[in-house]
Amino acid sequence: MIFFNANIELEENEKEGRFYVSSESGLKIGSLLIKEEPFAFCLNEENRTLLCNYCFASKKLKRCKQCKYSHYCSVECYKLDKHDIECKALSKYSKFVTNSIRLATRCALECEKSIDCKKEFMNLIGHNLEKDNVKNTDLNLIQLSALTKQYIDETGFIKDVDISYCYSIISRLQRNTFTICNEEMNNIGSGIYLKSSLFNHSCTPNCTVTFDKDKHIYIRVIEENINIGDPLTINYVDLLDVTPNRKEKLLKQYHFECNCTRCNNSKEERNENLEQMLKVINDYKQKQEFDKAVNCLKRIIAKGSTNAFHEIYLGIAYNELAHININLSNFHEALEYTKQSLVYFEKYYPKNYPLLGLQYLMYNKLMDYCNDQSFNLPPLRN
């Protein structure tokens, strides 16, 4: 722990477990509540050959000669990552190893350091098979736990690990893992942050999460009028999504039904046809078939004028078109789509939310590049 604000405190009840509340009225927007180092972390697989596997920096990398899997920018990072512990296991299991297995292994190694480390990690909420509806995911978790045991056994650094212990770790990862993002809010890794994991979720959060280049997590206040005893909340799922999708994701991964004000008063409906179309669009993007993706997105926008579906889908479509056109260097088109997307970003993200700020920044950069004085940067909401 690097910083912990004295104006927050932990409360606990049977329904919500442990969670933070404000112990002081008038917390200011931007107030730092927690700055914390990761208990354990792992770079995403898709970035493994692009970023240093320890410092996450985009530098000239060298591949480990033994496992031919991990990449580092320096001998120092190689040593700091304690790669020698995993190297043998990576050599043998590189074809099936996942981020979850590697992160679970690193948590197990951290738990070996001291009884206090293990106790604090195990105090994080995991699965209670009698209480939680995990019947559909239980078998998957057990299979993942068995693979984790094989991987840990291969390292040779922890003796007599059984599947039940691996299961207890995996279940905690499922509920407590943070997505580590870079300065552009792109997903680059995963991490466990013991103190920060105790912030509860809301679809109308009053706090937000960011990271620095050293993988420190920052929890800051983004809303006014927080009173003494008010819960301090972050969002676990994307807010630019319809309520049925958010609730389904929260129930599947975190095993609770969200009853925040937005969910309880929601008229947002899922459109199954559009959900399938968005999956197709994502496939087109991965195959770099951008023309096909653009055509599908334009069809969504055309249908949106008839009020055939909830407007959140329009926000998603405009944002996708903005980013695709930037990748294709169609900057004037990207400018217009970014302008349209801001209507929905402003409505569904809190006014001090990082993604909204990045969208304003992207809009301003495009406007500057296009030198188009007919557009003005929309004012920040009051």
Side-chain angles (χ1 to χ4, degrees), residues 274-289:
L274 284 187
E275 292 293 334
Q276 290 302 316
M277 189 177 288
L278 289 172
K279 291 179 181 178
V280 170
I281 290 167
N282 191 52
D283 289 339
Y284 284 148
K285 287 168 56 183
Q286 290 182 349
K287 296 174 183 176
Q288 308 237 323
E289 296 177 352

Side-chain angles (χ1 to χ4, degrees), residues 243-251 256-259 263:
T243 296
N245 286 349
R246 297 195 315 275
K247 290 175 78 73
E248 182 180 277
K249 292 172 184 176
L250 290 167
L251 187 61
F256 71 87
E257 183 171 355
C258 185
N259 291 306
C263 288

Side-chain angles (χ1 to χ4, degrees), residues 69-289:
Y69 183 90
S70 296
H71 295 69
Y72 297 97
C73 67
S74 65
V75 174
E76 181 182 11
C77 281
Y78 174 93
K79 292 180 178 179
L80 288 170
D81 202 38
K82 300 176 182 176
H83 179 69
D84 56 313
I85 295 177
E86 279 191 89
C87 190
K88 181 182 175 183
L90 283 171
S91 299
K92 185 173 181 178
Y93 296 123
S94 61
K95 292 184 178 180
F96 82 72
V97 70
T98 65
N99 277 7
S100 295
I101 292 173
R102 295 194 67 199
L103 188 57
T105 300
R106 292 176 173 219
C107 286
L109 292 168
E110 289 299 316
C111 286
E112 289 295 301
K113 288 184 176 181
S114 71
I115 294 175
D116 289 341
C117 282
K118 186 174 183 178
K119 181 179 179 181
E120 188 168 9
F121 175 75
M122 288 301 175
N123 277 340
L124 295 178
I125 190 168
H127 292 316
N128 182 330
L129 297 179
E130 294 179 357
K131 180 180 178 181
D132 295 337
N133 182 23
V134 294
K135 292 181 180 179
N136 295 328
T137 59
D138 186 31
L139 181 59
N140 292 332
L141 289 180
I142 291 174
Q143 291 173 339
L144 187 59
S145 300
L147 294 174
T148 302
K149 171 180 164 47
Q150 291 181 36
Y151 188 79
I152 292 176
D153 286 344
E154 191 64 30
T155 68
F157 278 82
I158 306 177
K159 304 298 182 182
D160 302 323
V161 174
D162 58 29
I163 291 179
S164 62
Y165 179 58
C166 293
Y167 181 90
S168 68
I169 294 176
I170 292 291
S171 72
R172 281 159 177 77
L173 295 191
Q174 188 184 44
R175 289 193 172 192
N176 297 283
T177 299
F178 280 88
T179 296
I180 299 175
C181 298
N182 61 14
E183 65 277 5
E184 296 178 347
M185 300 300 287
N186 294 319
N187 176 4
I188 58 173
S190 303
I192 292 293
Y193 296 82
L194 299 178
K195 303 296 184 185
S196 302
S197 291
L198 302 180
F199 282 88
N200 271 353
H201 164 83
S202 174
C203 298
T204 54
N206 53 25
C207 301
T208 193
V209 177
T210 56
F211 299 86
D212 65 18
K213 63 182 180 62
D214 296 315
K215 302 175 291 294
H216 297 136
I217 193 172
Y218 295 77
I219 312 288
R220 295 184 184 275
V221 174
I222 58 171
E223 292 289 352
E224 297 177 318
N225 302 319
I226 297 176
N227 298 314
I228 295 176
D230 285 351
L232 299 168
T233 57
I234 59 177
N235 56 293
Y236 296 175
V237 295
D238 189 8
L239 301 177
L240 192 65
D241 202 354
V242 292
T243 296
N245 286 349
R246 297 195 315 275
K247 290 175 78 73
E248 182 180 277
K249 292 172 184 176
L250 290 167
L251 187 61
K252 183 177 180 180
Q253 181 170 353
Y254 300 98
H255 302 276
F256 71 87
E257 183 171 355
C258 185
N259 291 306
C260 69
T261 53
R262 179 177 170 186
C263 288
N264 286 342
N265 301 316
S266 177
K267 295 182 179 179
E268 304 164 15
E269 295 183 353
R270 174 164 45 202
N271 185 298
E272 296 298 341
N273 291 332
L274 284 187
E275 292 293 334
Q276 290 302 316
M277 189 177 288
L278 289 172
K279 291 179 181 178
V280 170
I281 290 167
N282 191 52
D283 289 339
Y284 284 148
K285 287 168 56 183
Q286 290 182 349
K287 296 174 183 176
Q288 308 237 323
E289 296 177 352

Side-chain angles (χ1 to χ4, degrees), residues 285-342:
K285 287 168 56 183
Q286 290 182 349
K287 296 174 183 176
Q288 308 237 323
E289 296 177 352
F290 295 119
D291 288 344
K292 292 181 180 179
V294 167
N295 287 335
C296 289
L297 289 164
K298 287 182 176 179
R299 285 166 55 194
I300 292 175
I301 289 173
K303 290 181 180 179
S305 62
T306 64
N307 297 318
F309 48 78
H310 195 273
E311 64 179 5
I312 282 179
Y313 289 107
L314 281 175
I316 294 171
Y318 280 123
N319 186 48
E320 289 284 354
L321 280 167
H323 284 280
I324 289 174
N325 278 282
I326 287 173
N327 289 335
L328 295 174
S329 298
N330 299 329
F331 297 118
H332 282 88
E333 291 87 344
L335 176 61
E336 179 60 30
Y337 288 129
T338 304
K339 177 186 177 184
Q340 296 295 333
S341 73
L342 278 167

